Amino acid sequence: MVKSLPFRSEVNSEETWNLQDLFKTEEAYNNAMTELEKEVASYTEQFKGKMTDASAVIEGLKGYAKISEKIVPVATYASLSVSTDQTNDEAQMRSSKFGSIAAQIQSQLSFVNSELLSLPTEVLQEAIQQSADFQNFLEKLIRKKDYQLHPEVEKTLAAYSSTFNDPYGLYNTTKMVDMTFEDFEVAGKSYPLSYVTFEGDWESEPNTAVRRAAFEAFSAKLKEYQHTTAKTYDMHLQIEKTTSDLRGYPSIFDYLLFNQEVDQSMHDRQIDLIMKELAPHMRKYAKLLQKVHGLDKMTFADLKIPLDPTYQPKITVEESKKYIDEALAIMGNDYIHMIDRAYKERWIDFAQNIGKSTGAFCSSPYGNHPYILISWTGSMEDVFVLAHELGHAGHFYNANREQNVFNARPSLYFIEAPSTMNEMLMANHLLANSEDPKFKRWVISSIVARTYYHNFVTHLLEAAYQRKVYERIDEGGSVNANILNNLKRGVLEEFWGEDVDIIDGAELTWMRQPHYYMGLYPYTYSAGLTISTQVSKRILEEGQPAVEQWLDVLKAGGTKSPVDLAKMAGVDLTTEQPLRDTIAYIGELIDELITLTEEIEAAKVNE
């Protein structure tokens, strides 16, 4: 039975992360903030107007790197403390205050990019020759030359950065603070409902009546806030469109993809191929679910049900470590040591509580260890989620040690490859250690329903919807709740066809995802999983040499483009082949699920 969520103050501290690794006390945090403001003022006085030749550029960037490193822990502390409890007034005020101070700092430091870009390109190239440490930073800066505005305009825009980020904060406040769910009833029995319990429990509840009632109640509450949430989102979109136009990008897509170092063809290919070629496989999977569960019809509310609800291994946090250690042992002792520390030193926030951000994420502050947020439900699926987030942690654990603060973070296009790689390694390990048909079916269904459904369907359908939204915005339009509902419903109906009934409430799923406030992010999940699927196959076939290559990719951080990083790992992203191979692999998994199900059913008959 799902219980109502406790308040943050009521959860066991051992289930929470330890933010004291960032700052021991609130006083230490405030002192760091004060010191940071002083250093920014001192740096500005020392270097503003002085970076006129290659040597001065290098000295200026050394100081800029030190300040950047000191901003990271302060920003991380403010962000992480509010993410575990949006209802905490102190955390909210701390985050808001940091946002204002960060905007002031960005405004003060805006001269760095402006003055560097005002220099002849030859001077910047000479600086690159003198110091390889800043090659990546300067080369990326040179790419921005055509889109840089007057220094005073850049300073003003930076001063408004906190305000420009407010739509995301408003979205989270609406979702996690104002939106409270009443219990719902089925056959006279009452059940508690929240964002966390719906996404963690009710969405995959085997009891059809309870699952569909939960979906209806959850959707009814979303509907009450659809107009406010749509207005918040439109505000965010208009800020992006105005910024794109001001800087002179050909389209909003060019603006949003610029820092990802990919062109629109790579973005569109991911969406178009999956919408067209994966859909038939996933419809077959939906029909399998319908048949196994004996459903009168397959609805949108039924897509997350497990293939075999009678075979759902439960697992504790302590037990999860054994599975993760065994599955990821191939990554080497250093990687496993990182995982040991993550558990022992409380890098992970496992607790479920009121006001906590939904889903899971990994924050990897430069100069500090990573932090992982997850709401532990005790299902084996949580192990895949944790392995995924530890993939992010392992990526930046390596990159942050090997690279400077400017070089550590890769393109957003590549960011989900190391995380989904760990999911593939987990699945491969589980499959290799059992011949039990029911266990094999459970593992494969977990890969299909969690790893691929989540990344190749849920996030990809977000991307297809998002593309339609941005096409409208790029033409000078705006959006409201009715428009967003129609766009989302259209994408869902296109993908699922007549095999899944897109019931009322399905169109509101655009309200559930914070990714829309992060630019063109959702499509990168399928891009990363395309890379990791191909590399995990190489690791299975080639063993240690492929692992070593992959570790070199992680250590490279952001020193190469996503195409070049994938090339290091043996994957050619300039062609459709890796994506087509991955889609075909998903089809093979679904066919194997059908075969295993038939074998299990036949064995029951013969018993």
Side-chain angles (χ1 to χ4, degrees), residues 348-501:
I348 308 166
D349 200 273
F350 292 102
Q352 289 191 44
N353 59 263
I354 291 169
K356 184 173 178 177
S357 295
T358 58
F361 67 74
C362 177
S363 174
S364 299
Y366 189 86
N368 294 271
H369 65 71
Y371 283 90
I372 292 170
L373 180 142
I374 181 175
S375 292
W376 193 263
T377 67
S379 74
M380 190 69 176
E381 183 177 308
D382 290 344
V383 181
F384 280 91
V385 177
L386 186 52
H388 176 105
E389 300 306 335
L390 284 166
H392 287 304
H395 186 186
F396 289 103
Y397 184 77
N398 279 280
N400 288 350
R401 287 188 303 179
E402 297 291 329
Q403 307 296 338
N404 66 38
V405 69
F406 296 139
N407 291 354
R409 195 165 190 83
S411 158
L412 199 61
Y413 185 93
F414 191 82
I415 213 81
E416 295 297 339
S419 54
T420 52
M421 165 63 82
N422 278 11
E423 292 189 56
M424 299 306 297
L425 293 177
M426 174 61 68
N428 290 342
H429 167 72
L430 293 175
L431 285 173
N433 286 278
S434 177
E435 290 301 319
D436 177 8
K438 290 191 76 172
F439 183 75
K440 286 184 72 174
R441 184 174 71 164
W442 176 81
V443 174
I444 295 170
S445 65
S446 294
I447 305 170
V448 171
R450 210 225 82 77
T451 303
Y452 284 110
Y453 187 99
H454 191 65
N455 298 297
F456 259 72
V457 180
T458 299
H459 291 320
L460 198 281
L461 293 182
E462 289 169 5
Y465 151 83
Q466 192 180 38
R467 182 169 63 175
K468 291 180 182 294
V469 170
Y470 278 119
E471 285 171 351
R472 185 181 180 89
I473 297 300
D474 211 35
E475 292 169 358
S478 58
V479 295
N480 61 23
N482 289 333
I483 290 167
L484 295 174
N485 288 343
N486 288 333
L487 291 176
K488 186 65 178 181
R489 176 175 287 278
V491 167
L492 293 174
E493 289 175 342
E494 180 186 349
F495 186 83
W496 291 111
E498 297 180 356
D499 294 303
V500 177
D501 184 4

Side-chain angles (χ1 to χ4, degrees), residues 62-270:
K62 286 179 181 177
Y64 191 46
K66 288 179 181 177
I67 287 177
S68 298
E69 288 178 20
K70 291 188 175 179
I71 290 173
V72 169
V74 177
T76 304
Y77 187 82
S79 170
L80 295 186
S81 58
V82 78
S83 70
T84 53
D85 189 0
Q86 298 274 347
T87 66
N88 184 304
D89 289 341
E90 184 182 348
Q92 280 190 13
M93 292 303 99
R94 184 192 300 114
S95 179
S96 180
K97 181 180 179 182
F98 171 76
S100 299
I101 293 174
Q104 294 172 19
I105 290 173
Q106 284 183 47
S107 182
Q108 284 177 271
L109 294 176
S110 65
F111 78 89
V112 176
N113 283 4
S114 294
E115 290 190 9
L116 291 178
L117 285 172
S118 69
L119 295 172
T121 301
E122 292 76 21
V123 173
L124 300 180
Q125 288 172 337
E126 185 182 344
I128 290 171
Q129 293 297 318
Q130 290 186 23
S131 176
D133 286 347
F134 303 114
Q135 177 177 347
N136 191 41
F137 177 87
L138 290 171
E139 285 179 347
K140 288 181 177 178
L141 198 63
I142 291 169
R143 283 184 67 226
K144 292 182 178 178
K145 230 178 186 348
D146 292 340
Y147 307 111
Q148 188 76 0
L149 302 173
H150 187 279
E152 287 304 313
V153 178
E154 292 289 350
K155 184 177 180 179
T156 303
L157 287 175
Y160 273 106
S161 61
S162 177
T163 305
F164 292 160
N165 290 329
D166 279 348
Y168 181 45
L170 179 57
Y171 165 79
N172 276 323
T173 301
T174 303
K175 176 180 173 180
M176 301 309 302
V177 181
D178 284 346
M179 198 180 295
T180 56
F181 296 83
E182 296 77 25
D183 292 356
F184 66 97
E185 284 193 9
V186 178
K189 189 173 181 180
S190 183
Y191 299 87
L193 183 64
S194 68
Y195 244 105
V196 171
T197 57
F198 177 74
E199 294 186 344
D201 295 289
W202 301 130
E203 202 171 22
S204 57
E205 165 62 40
N207 184 310
T208 300
V210 174
R211 180 179 66 254
R212 290 179 177 175
F215 181 86
E216 188 176 334
F218 183 75
S219 299
K221 179 58 68 174
L222 291 185
K223 194 169 186 177
E224 291 177 17
Y225 290 85
Q226 63 178 325
H227 298 295
T228 299
T229 308
K231 188 64 180 176
T232 302
Y233 184 38
D234 187 56
M235 192 191 318
H236 170 78
L237 294 167
Q238 299 305 329
I239 290 170
E240 289 179 319
K241 171 62 174 167
T242 301
T243 306
S244 173
D245 288 348
L246 275 176
R247 293 196 177 281
Y249 285 91
S251 75
I252 197 168
F253 291 96
D254 292 291
Y255 164 60
L256 294 171
L257 291 170
F258 184 84
N259 286 335
Q260 293 186 24
E261 299 177 80
V262 297
D263 59 32
Q264 194 173 346
S265 67
M266 288 177 69
H267 168 265
D268 288 345
R269 178 208 296 161
Q270 209 71 22

Side-chain angles (χ1 to χ4, degrees), residues 473-587:
I473 297 300
D474 211 35
E475 292 169 358
S478 58
V479 295
N480 61 23
N482 289 333
I483 290 167
L484 295 174
N485 288 343
N486 288 333
L487 291 176
K488 186 65 178 181
R489 176 175 287 278
V491 167
L492 293 174
E493 289 175 342
E494 180 186 349
F495 186 83
W496 291 111
E498 297 180 356
D499 294 303
V500 177
D501 184 4
I502 307 302
I503 55 176
D504 288 346
E507 74 282 358
L508 296 170
T509 51
W510 63 266
M511 294 177 63
R512 293 167 55 182
Q513 190 50 263
H515 289 159
Y516 301 134
Y517 296 85
M518 304 172 190
L520 294 175
Y521 181 31
Y523 88 102
T524 65
Y525 280 86
S526 63
L529 186 50
T530 300
I531 296 167
S532 61
T533 299
Q534 301 308 310
V535 178
S536 66
K537 285 183 177 180
R538 284 195 60 216
I539 289 174
L540 274 178
E541 294 165 4
E542 302 171 28
Q544 205 57 37
V547 172
E548 293 302 324
Q549 281 188 317
W550 184 241
L551 287 170
D552 286 342
V553 170
L554 302 186
K555 292 172 184 175
T559 58
K560 296 180 183 295
S561 72
V563 170
D564 287 337
L565 286 172
K567 190 176 181 181
M568 280 179 69
V571 181
D572 185 2
L573 291 181
T574 63
T575 73
E576 295 181 349
Q577 203 57 48
L579 180 54
R580 288 187 183 278
D581 288 347
T582 302
I583 292 172
Y585 176 64
I586 298 171

